Amino acid sequence: MKIAVCIKRVPDTEMRFTIAADGKSVDPTGLKYEMSTFDEYAVEVALRLNEQHGPGDVTVVGLGPDGVGEILRKALSMGVDRGVHLTAPEVPFDGRVVAGALAEALTGQGYDLILFGRNATDTGAGVVGAMTAGRLGLPCVTAVSHLEIANGRGTARRELEGATETVEFPLPAVLTIDEGIARGRIPSLKGIMAAKKKPIDTREASLGAPAIVVDRLAPPPDRPPGRIVGEGPDAVPELVALLRDEAKVL
Amino acid sequence: MAAIFAFAESRDGALRKVALETVTAARRAADATGGGEVHAMVLGGPGIADAAEALGRAGADVVFTVEDAALARYSPEVAAATAAAAIADGDYRAAFFPASAEGRDLAPRVAAALDRSLLADVTEFTFEGDDVVASHPAYAGKAVATLRLSGAPALLSVRPGAVTAVEAPRTPRVEARPPALAPAEARVVVTGLVARGAARLDLAEAPVVVAGGRGLRAAEHFGLVEALADAIGDAAVGATRAVTDDGWRDPADQIGQTGRVVSPDLYIAVGISGAIQHLAGMRSSRVIVAINRDKDAPIFKVADYGIVGDLFDVVPRLTEEIRKLRAG
Ligand SMILES: Cc1cc2nc3c(=O)[nH]c(=O)nc-3n(C[C@H](O)[C@H](O)[C@H](O)COP(=O)(O)OP(=O)(O)OC[C@H]3O[C@@H](n4cnc5c(N)ncnc54)[C@H](O)[C@@H]3O)c2cc1C
Ligand SMILES: Nc1ncnc2c1ncn2[C@@H]1O[C@H](COP(=O)(O)O)[C@@H](O)[C@H]1O
């Protein structure tokens, strides 16, 4: 199958970070980056589908500044065939603008599947996948946690709160990938060597004007200081009294 | 005067708790922008129109009911087309969706159909002239972005639990609407919906979440967490990724950056260290209780109340005390 996967470069979740002097962005000094977690799952899903269904072709597409090349290269070392880097000085916060640029790069390429992450793990709220599908006029299934493809059709599972949904759809389609389906493989040494020779097509992203802008980026409001009620089971009666009388949650 | 649109989520013929939260959010928006009407839309199988009364009690002036046997289950394309058509046909200042599992699927589809931007997964919002200014937790909860969206209609999805449903009763005008896309034409079709552990409230509905971590040591010890949730009554059970990875719990129970985000009134963390990826899913809970034997565990930094101790001693005692409280 011919598959595209859209991958975003995000700051490493585990890293401490500081907010830049403009009060609107993350200070890039010393920041480490990685492929957004769900996007890594999506790359793995694409690779496994082709391992399972016979040879195919997987393209990764990343939009953003220079450093995006590194995560594209990582995907190539996992086994992806080619990359497309849509260059932009920064990734706009407005998912509609990102979707517009991705759709333009993805249209008319004959992909059987276009995969996204459920949401980007930095600023994302899970809109780019479905919006890109809308632009492309393709059927879309979001937050897929299990997937089977046969005879030009797919069956996916989605985890809702307290229930599991089964969804059927025709190919070509856009899917966004959730936790539970696959974790990204670690690139082998051979994969890393091979990746150096794989093509990355670099061109400027065509970004429309955003309707959403960032006013402020700030640390979350501090939670009121908590307290240790006590040690061991003897502290339980006091905890229950506090939850009932002070916090009023029991 | 411009009105506010609210999408009322239902499942199995009944409104979800987030439906009332969404109408409350819309009511608040209407009152903040000059007191226009709130128009709620509910889709479902035959009988779903009965939900109109509850939506009126929550503050809807008009309820659009879209009843069709084929809509007994969520149909993403039909719901998106029908909501988008209603928003496009009316004069709306804003449209509200829940950022629940269904709402996260629906809202971006509607935004795509209308070719408008979406403020997704917001926890707070205000209207400033032509703009909506909203908070969106980002970077695994390590920062909050304040975002500004200009123009109307403004599309927003609101994090479950971020707005508490309050009554603003009125008798709504009820208007039956046909689906804007014939259900038979939908390409994406939901063919099954299976509830897990139907006896218990789920993570989006429950005002209390009791979550267990690797400190429980084995799947069978989750019985302690279940018993505590049962004693509390209206509680759901959650888990860390360490636990779902080991197969002790269903992946759908996972709370955190790669799981669900919850904001219950009370969150009880049992044997959970408090990794950043876990905190991303629960730090906006109203009251957090942690039980951990390591007094330096990071979970205590976000907890309002903590007990340092062995969970195998503390949790059964807590269950017992809460049972006593409930009985007395
Ligand atoms: C990309 C990525 C995404 C992730 N997403 C998520 C996510 O969505 N959700 C999530 O939860 N994690 C996520 N994680 C994993 C996260 O980093 C932690 O590994 C995980 O949350 C730890 O789970 P835990 O607290 O159950 O286990 P541990 O960190 O092992 O903590 C167990 C705790 O139990 C305590 N304990 C042990 N025995 C007892 C006892 N008898 N009595 C009392 N206390 C006891 C210990 O002191 C310890 O604090 C993610 C990680 C990565 C890399
Ligand atoms: N800058 C980007 N470049 C490539 N893909 C992206 C980008 N931003 C978002 N995506 C894709 O869209 C998904 C959802 O992003 P979001 O809507 O921002 O949460 C991500 O998991 C990626 O698959």
Side-chain angles (χ1 to χ4, degrees):
Chain A
M1 275 186 292
K2 192 168 172 188
I3 305 175
V5 188
C6 293
I7 62 176
K8 186 177 184 188
R9 184 188 77 140
V10 301
D12 181 344
T13 307
E14 311 260 357
M15 292 266 292
R16 282 194 49 217
F17 71 83
T18 29
I19 288 158
D22 68 359
K24 294 180 182 196
S25 56
V26 171
D27 184 352
T29 320
L31 213 57
K32 277 205 332 223
Y33 294 90
E34 60 188 9
M35 193 188 313
S36 182
T37 307
F38 295 108
D39 303 357
E40 205 171 297
Y41 301 169
V43 168
E44 180 66 30
V45 168
L47 294 172
R48 284 191 199 173
L49 280 172
N50 279 345
E51 282 161 5
Q52 199 184 320
H53 293 272
D57 189 87
V58 182
T59 304
V60 281
V61 183
L63 182 155
D66 285 351
V68 165
E70 283 160 40
I71 63 144
L72 292 173
R73 201 60 76 183
K74 165 152 189 213
L76 298 181
S77 67
M78 289 168 74
V80 165
D81 300 286
R82 63 197 75 253
V84 177
H85 181 182
L86 303 173
T87 59
E90 58 183 15
V91 178
F93 225 110
D94 189 341
R96 180 176 155 270
V97 173
V98 177
L102 292 175
E104 195 186 278
L106 293 163
T107 194
Q109 306 294 310
Y111 295 115
D112 300 297
L113 282 174
I114 303 177
L115 306 183
F116 291 79
R118 180 189 83 180
N119 59 265
T121 51
D122 56 349
T123 59
V127 306
V128 171
M131 281 192 176
T132 308
R135 285 283 171 114
L136 296 170
L138 290 176
C140 172
V141 182
T142 66
V144 171
S145 65
H146 184 88
L147 177 66
E148 272 162 44
I149 304 283
N151 309 320
R153 290 190 63 80
T155 306
R157 245 183 5 231
R158 300 171 17 84
E159 302 299 341
L160 313 183
E161 304 90 353
T164 302
E165 200 174 76
T166 310
V167 184
E168 292 184 16
F169 59 93
L171 265 48
V174 169
L175 308 176
T176 82
I177 301 298
D178 198 356
E179 178 86 329
I181 178 163
R183 296 269 160 84
R185 66 188 64 183
I186 314 271
S188 66
L189 194 58
K190 201 169 139 230
I192 294 169
M193 296 311 289
K196 295 192 170 143
K197 290 190 223 87
K198 291 179 180 172
I200 294 182
D201 170 17
T202 302
R203 55 181 190 266
E204 205 177 317
S206 58
L207 296 170
I212 295 174
V213 294
V214 184
D215 261 9
R216 248 188 344 274
L217 193 65
D222 279 333
R223 291 192 63 92
R227 67 179 124 142
I228 302 288
V229 177
E231 289 189 19
D234 293 345
V236 167
E238 194 187 342
L239 172 67
V240 171
L242 287 166
L243 291 176
R244 187 190 54 195
D245 304 328
E246 188 178 86
K248 302 197 184 341
V249 284
L250 281 184
Chain B
M1 161 169 301
I4 307 286
F5 182 90
F7 184 85
E9 181 178 333
S10 65
R11 194 191 288 174
D12 287 335
L15 288 178
R16 300 276 295 167
K17 184 178 158 202
V18 284
L20 305 179
E21 294 176 9
T22 309
V23 174
T24 293
R27 185 74 259 159
R28 203 183 283 171
D31 293 344
T33 53
E37 288 187 333
V38 169
H39 298 179
M41 172 173 272
V42 63
L43 284 80
I48 198 67
D50 296 348
E53 194 192 323
L55 295 171
R57 230 178 299 127
D61 301 286
V62 175
V63 178
F64 301 129
T65 59
V66 187
E67 268 187 353
D68 190 307
L71 298 179
R73 284 198 193 111
Y74 174 56
S75 174
E77 292 177 334
V78 175
T82 309
I87 295 166
D89 288 349
D91 172 21
Y92 291 109
R93 175 68 192 88
F96 284 84
F97 296 83
S100 56
E102 181 178 308
R104 281 171 194 262
D105 181 80
L106 177 65
R109 293 177 191 271
V110 174
L114 296 169
D115 194 20
R116 298 203 59 85
S117 301
L118 169 69
L119 282 172
D121 193 25
V122 307
T123 52
E124 281 171 44
F125 60 87
T126 55
F127 284 78
E128 292 181 9
D130 288 340
D131 299 350
V132 184
V133 178
S135 309
H136 167 59
Y139 300 99
K142 289 186 285 191
V144 177
T146 305
L147 303 172
R148 180 178 290 272
L149 167 65
S150 52
L155 307 185
L156 294 95
S157 71
V158 181
R159 183 172 282 196
V163 171
T164 307
V166 292
E167 295 202 345
R170 54 208 73 211
T171 307
R173 306 196 300 279
V174 181
E175 205 182 293
R177 292 249 172 135
L181 172 75
E185 313 240 305
R187 300 165 296 180
V188 174
V189 179
V190 174
T191 53
L193 182 71
V194 181
R196 289 182 305 267
R200 198 185 297 287
L201 285 178
D202 64 59
L203 288 173
E205 302 271 285
V208 180
V209 172
V210 187
R214 187 145 48 198
L216 282 154
R217 285 209 300 264
E220 57 270 27
H221 297 150
F222 248 86
L224 291 174
V225 171
E226 302 260 358
L228 176 54
D230 287 339
I232 293 168
D234 44 5
V237 171
T240 62
R241 194 205 219 192
V243 162
T244 54
D245 271 0
D246 283 350
W248 304 354
R249 294 293 296 189
D250 198 282
D253 292 343
Q254 184 181 316
I255 290 166
Q257 187 183 15
T258 51
R260 306 265 148 229
V261 177
V262 297
S263 309
D265 293 334
L266 173 61
Y267 189 91
I268 304 179
V270 176
I272 292 177
S273 60
I276 181 81
Q277 295 93 345
H278 187 73
L279 301 185
M282 45 66 76
R283 76 172 279 153
S284 57
S285 304
R286 195 159 77 73
V287 175
I288 297 173
V289 170
I291 299 162
N292 195 305
R293 69 174 174 201
D294 171 10
K295 68 171 181 18
D296 297 320
I299 191 73
F300 286 122
K301 293 210 183 72
V302 299
D304 300 282
Y305 305 106
I307 292 184
V308 178
D310 190 328
L311 71 89
F312 293 96
D313 300 331
V314 175
V315 174
R317 181 72 191 276
L318 181 57
T319 305
E320 184 191 316
E321 292 293 327
I322 289 176
R323 270 197 204 122
K324 268 196 237 160
L325 184 76
R326 291 291 194 237

